[in-house]
Amino acid sequence: MFNRTKTFKSIWGGTLVVLTLAGCTTAGEDRYSDRRRCSEYRDYSNCMYMQQHRRDREQLMNQEKALINAAQARENLRMLREIRRRRGDY
């Protein structure tokens, strides 16, 4: 029989890694499209700043979502352990 604790720890660790990487990646974003889009504007630097601000805000939101998901996964694992402890499975 396999060790359940090790299995749950590895699943939880893998989930955490995937969520962290998901928050750090971009969704096929083309940075050159911002340059083309901003080339039409008079205030090129302000346009580029706004595009960077939008990307930074999206990245921060993704990181916050990943942290929330990781906290929820930890809480779910804690609850599962508590239920099993009360049943006497461990």
Side-chain angles (χ1 to χ4, degrees):
M1 184 99 192
F2 59 92
N3 188 346
R4 291 182 185 174
T5 305
K6 287 184 181 180
T7 302
F8 287 120
K9 284 182 181 179
S10 63
I11 290 171
W12 181 78
T15 303
L16 185 60
V17 168
V18 167
L19 290 174
T20 303
L21 291 176
C24 294
T25 60
T26 59
E29 192 171 301
D30 181 15
R31 303 233 182 235
Y32 293 109
S33 67
D34 289 342
R35 288 185 185 161
R36 285 190 295 267
R37 188 178 307 127
C38 289
S39 66
E40 300 171 3
Y41 290 95
R42 213 186 227 176
D43 193 0
Y44 177 81
S45 61
N46 190 33
C47 179
M48 290 298 287
Y49 170 77
M50 293 303 289
Q51 297 298 324
Q52 182 65 43
H53 180 70
R54 179 189 54 81
R55 285 192 301 269
D56 291 345
R57 190 176 64 231
E58 278 183 25
Q59 185 178 11
L60 182 60
M61 289 174 61
N62 287 338
Q63 288 173 348
E64 288 174 350
K65 287 177 187 176
L67 288 173
I68 290 168
N69 289 337
Q72 184 65 46
R74 280 193 302 272
E75 181 62 20
N76 290 345
L77 185 59
R78 187 195 64 76
M79 288 173 54
L80 184 61
R81 286 180 181 158
E82 181 64 23
I83 290 168
R84 289 197 171 154
R85 185 188 63 79
R86 287 182 184 173
R87 278 195 219 152
D89 288 350
Y90 279 125

